[in-house]
Amino acid sequence: MEGEPFSWERVHPIFSWYHTGKVNMTYESVDRHVLNGKGEKTALHYISETENWSLTYRELQQEVSRWSNVLTASGVKKGDFVFVFLPKHPHCYIAMLAAINVGAVVGPLFEAFMEEAVRDRINDCEGEFLIADSSFLSRVHREEIPSLKTIFTTDKETGDADISITKEAEKADDEFETVWVDLEDGLNIHYTSGSTGKPKGIIHAHRNMIQQYQTGRWVLDLKDDDVYWCTAHPGWVTGTVYGVFAPLLNGVTTVIHGGRFSAEAWYQVLEKAQVTVWYSAPTAFRMLKAAGNKTLNKYDLSSLRHILSVGEPLNPEVIHWGVEALNLRIHDTWWMTETGAQLVANLPTRSIKPGSMGRPIPGIEVTVLDEGGEELPPFETGHLAIRASWPAIMKEVWKNEEKFKSYFPYGEEWYIAGDLAYLDEEGYVFFQGRSDDMINSAGERIGPFEVESKLLEHPAVKEAGVIGKPDPVRGEIVKAFVALNPNYKESKELLEEIRLFVRGRLAAHSAPREIEVIQELPKTQISGKVLRRELKKGEIDQAG
Ligand code: ATP
Ligand code: MG
């Protein structure tokens, strides 16, 4: 229907609930495909240093059913919170799908979380159930989490847990009667990355699938034969929405890679699994770039056809690297834990403007507002705002109505992201920084992103984080923290060269007055985002 404005209702008929009235995310992600004759297709392909195996959609359905039977027999009911604390492994996917299958709200925890991160999250929503790897259990201090009733382990030995879910599953029936829910019922709880402060517990509903499926098609460009790899762990919202839901809703083959980041290992996964669509983050692309073309050229990556990025500003330099090294454009996408799915993106067939995150996808309206809530004309920076509502928007901030309301400071019409941006005359969105990260130096407002991107164009700079350092005269001065590429040594001359490099290419007021070399930039654990607030705190502490 060319010409007619897109409406999300047009997506509904692909789901079985549209025809039957019975809703469940797991059913739509797994069972529906088996019923539609896709049972023998590979759903999950697991690759680690020592393992390489797959599960078809039918095998996944059977395994999820067995685990669902164990969960139900162990007292897990609709609406309960089930936390999942597992490495990147098919068990993690099966656990999440089984929890959803029995009507529970799943809370995936990042595999590297330490005691307090685990405790605070489960305590926040008084979670009763946990499915964990036994080697992670030393980080679960049960006596500090009084709500916790049952711990399942994925090991065959029960150990410190109460039930071995894998052992029980062996005896369980491989058929399960899906627990039906409403589109509005709770699906998952995700804590935000904590880039700007205490993580918020965001509750999402089953209706999210509408947008998650459709963005899988439009933005990830998933087609029947694709082999898709999202590098994020499900503990970060990207790893759940675009690692588990979107690819399974689209019925493609999903690659799961266990293990830590290394350029060699990642290129091996791309080659071995013949990945066609790849979704990762700027920090990973920057590390691959730093690893050099010699490493890259050892691998045959010719299966790749579409690459995407999320989570942080995608520096133009990284896009240029993609085109040169991989012969592909990297497509930026923007969304938040709270938005539940992508809202702004570079669609595969559209032009990319490096430095821009792309345009709002169909069905989404974006604008930029000033401090008073008035819409700003193109090229003026203000608060990035999205017209409410859309199918994947959060259901609530857990036990924090105030916080939920804070996303709507100008009324119900506009959701305020907390990011600063401007639009160009064609509606491309240019991210400038988080509202909290804006630098105010001698009356000039400077977004850290532009300065960081310029720094990255200098051959010596591997990574950069830019902040406003408190200054008695200017209010703030632009201060850059940089990590250097392996072949460069810190020297006064080099830092001056970098400073002049930015000054000559951006503007005098945006050039960092101070540059400090550090080994590594502080980053969020789950999503690898540069923690500018940490850098800034260090400066403020130093100033006393
Ligand atoms: P917290 O809300 O706890 O401070 P967080 O905002 O990093 O952490 P997420 O929900 O993981 O938690 O991230 C959403 C934010 O990530 C966005 O508000 C934006 O600042 C940033 N972001 C996401 N995608 C992009 C992108 N493509 N370009 C620039 N920034 C992005
Ligand atoms: Mg946020």
Side-chain angles (χ1 to χ4, degrees):
M1 276 178 275
E2 271 305 304
E4 249 178 63
F6 171 77
S7 125
W8 290 104
E9 269 96 62
R10 277 164 59 181
V11 183
H12 297 186
I14 82 109
F15 297 104
S16 50
W17 50 256
Y18 179 80
H19 310 280
T20 63
K22 295 173 170 176
V23 176
N24 191 301
M25 173 67 103
T26 296
Y27 187 85
E28 302 290 344
S29 304
V30 185
D31 307 72
R32 181 169 57 95
H33 300 306
V34 179
L35 282 172
N36 289 343
K38 274 192 171 182
E40 305 325 309
K41 183 170 177 175
T42 300
L44 306 179
H45 179 178
Y46 178 57
I47 301 186
S48 73
E49 234 168 80
T50 50
E51 293 179 57
N52 188 356
W53 50 274
S54 302
L55 283 179
T56 64
Y57 271 94
R58 187 185 312 283
E59 288 166 332
L60 180 61
Q61 182 194 37
Q62 290 170 338
E63 200 57 13
V64 169
S65 297
R66 288 188 202 103
W67 288 43
S68 303
N69 279 314
V70 178
L71 291 179
T72 303
S74 312
V76 181
K77 293 181 312 301
K78 187 167 165 177
D80 288 344
F81 284 101
V82 176
F83 281 87
V84 172
F85 192 25
L86 293 169
K88 268 209 102 184
H89 182 280
H91 280 162
C92 181
Y93 286 53
I94 294 163
M96 289 173 64
L97 291 164
I100 294 165
N101 212 17
V102 307
V105 179
V106 72
L109 297 169
F110 185 60
E111 58 186 321
F113 275 159
M114 298 308 286
E115 293 82 348
E116 287 181 22
V118 173
R119 181 195 66 199
D120 292 351
R121 283 166 179 76
I122 305 180
N123 276 343
D124 185 51
C125 55
E126 294 165 88
E128 295 173 313
F129 300 96
L130 174 70
I131 307 175
D133 186 283
S134 60
S135 68
F136 292 3
L137 283 179
S138 61
R139 286 180 269 146
V140 181
H141 291 185
R142 217 169 170 157
E143 66 287 357
E144 295 175 3
I145 316 175
S147 59
L148 209 51
K149 280 206 294 222
T150 307
I151 298 181
F152 300 89
T153 171
T154 51
D155 273 40
K156 292 282 157 65
E157 300 295 324
T158 309
D160 291 334
D162 305 301
I163 295 171
S164 159
I165 194 162
T166 45
K167 200 165 148 204
E168 292 305 313
E170 280 175 3
K171 297 177 253 167
D173 196 348
D174 64 7
E175 281 182 30
F176 179 79
E177 188 62 38
T178 308
V179 176
W180 302 113
V181 298
D182 282 335
L183 282 172
E184 211 38 58
D185 278 337
L187 168 71
N188 60 314
I189 181 160
H190 258 97
Y191 287 81
T192 55
S193 288
S195 307
T196 54
K198 192 171 178 287
K200 303 158 279 267
I202 306 297
I203 304 263
H204 280 290
H206 282 254
R207 66 170 143 75
N208 280 23
M209 70 174 90
I210 298 164
Q211 196 175 343
Q212 294 170 349
Y213 162 81
Q214 192 59 34
T215 49
R217 284 190 83 80
W218 279 337
V219 183
L220 306 180
D221 197 33
L222 295 177
K223 308 221 165 63
D224 241 11
D225 292 334
D226 274 313
V227 176
Y228 167 78
W229 183 29
C230 169
T231 60
H233 183 278
W236 180 27
V237 71
T238 298
T240 287
V241 174
Y242 292 103
V244 186
F245 299 150
L248 292 180
L249 286 168
N250 278 280
V252 302
T253 297
T254 290
V255 173
I256 305 173
H257 168 57
R260 295 192 75 81
F261 172 87
S262 91
E264 301 260 348
W266 277 33
Y267 288 141
Q268 261 173 36
V269 171
L270 291 169
E271 182 183 73
K272 245 198 214 166
Q274 299 271 294
V275 173
T276 57
V277 180
W278 181 31
Y279 199 7
S280 197
T283 177
F285 294 124
R286 288 194 296 260
M287 289 194 277
L288 292 173
K289 175 171 181 271
N293 283 354
K294 235 174 100 189
T295 310
L296 169 69
N297 292 335
K298 286 195 251 167
Y299 301 91
D300 176 7
L301 307 183
S302 55
S303 58
L304 269 180
R305 68 170 181 84
H306 187 41
I307 310 181
L308 306 105
S309 171
V310 68
E312 271 210 298
L314 181 62
N315 318 95
E317 192 55 24
V318 178
I319 298 186
H320 297 145
W321 167 78
V323 170
E324 273 164 38
L326 303 163
N327 202 20
L328 288 169
R329 312 187 304 181
I330 300 177
H331 297 73
D332 199 7
T333 64
W334 177 89
W335 61 294
M336 311 167 61
T337 308
E338 297 88 330
T339 70
Q342 297 153 339
L343 299 179
V344 175
N346 286 289
L347 297 181
T349 53
R350 302 271 169 79
S351 332
I352 286 181
K353 298 185 184 182
S356 161
M357 315 191 287
R359 281 188 285 193
I361 59 170
I364 297 297
E365 190 191 334
V366 161
T367 194
V368 170
L369 302 180
D370 69 12
E371 293 301 329
E374 295 300 319
E375 285 190 56
L376 285 166
F379 299 104
E380 285 193 33
T381 297
H383 297 284
L384 182 60
I386 299 78
R387 186 181 292 283
S389 187
W390 58 92
I393 190 173
M394 64 181 153
K395 186 173 148 71
E396 58 180 297
V397 181
W398 183 246
K399 284 200 285 198
N400 200 339
E401 177 76 21
E402 271 313 289
K403 190 79 211 176
F404 185 87
K405 284 196 190 134
S406 73
Y407 293 88
F408 300 90
Y410 307 115
E412 284 175 9
E413 188 181 359
W414 295 109
Y415 165 93
I416 305 300
D419 289 345
L420 297 173
Y422 68 82
L423 305 179
D424 75 1
E425 71 290 352
E426 291 183 299
Y428 279 79
V429 186
F430 289 76
F431 178 87
Q432 296 298 290
R434 292 165 183 271
S435 312
D436 302 353
D437 289 339
M438 210 58 175
I439 301 161
N440 204 330
S441 184
E444 300 276 2
R445 281 160 68 73
I446 303 150
F449 172 50
E450 212 184 7
V451 186
E452 289 165 7
S453 285
K454 204 44 79 182
L455 285 161
L456 280 183
E457 284 178 27
H458 191 282
V461 179
K462 184 168 83 175
E463 293 213 273
V466 167
I467 59 151
K469 172 179 171 174
D471 181 81
V473 180
R474 293 188 156 73
E476 286 180 325
I477 58 160
V478 180
K479 170 154 189 182
F481 293 85
V482 296
L484 298 179
N485 273 315
N487 304 330
Y488 290 85
K489 269 219 164 67
E490 176 177 355
S491 72
K492 239 175 131 176
E493 292 73 34
L494 177 65
L495 296 189
E496 184 58 10
E497 185 191 309
I498 296 173
R499 205 177 69 77
L500 293 175
F501 180 89
V502 177
R503 193 188 159 94
R505 284 166 176 81
L506 268 186
H509 69 266
S510 320
R513 288 194 166 249
E514 279 183 28
I515 303 182
E516 185 175 332
V517 175
I518 50 179
Q519 282 299 318
E520 261 184 79
L521 291 163
K523 288 186 185 159
T524 59
Q525 211 180 13
I526 48 174
S527 40
K529 302 184 193 202
V530 174
L531 274 168
R532 293 176 194 82
R533 115 182 112 88
E534 290 275 303
L535 294 170
K536 187 153 183 169
K537 188 168 168 292
E539 289 303 318
I540 293 169
D541 288 351
Q542 254 181 32

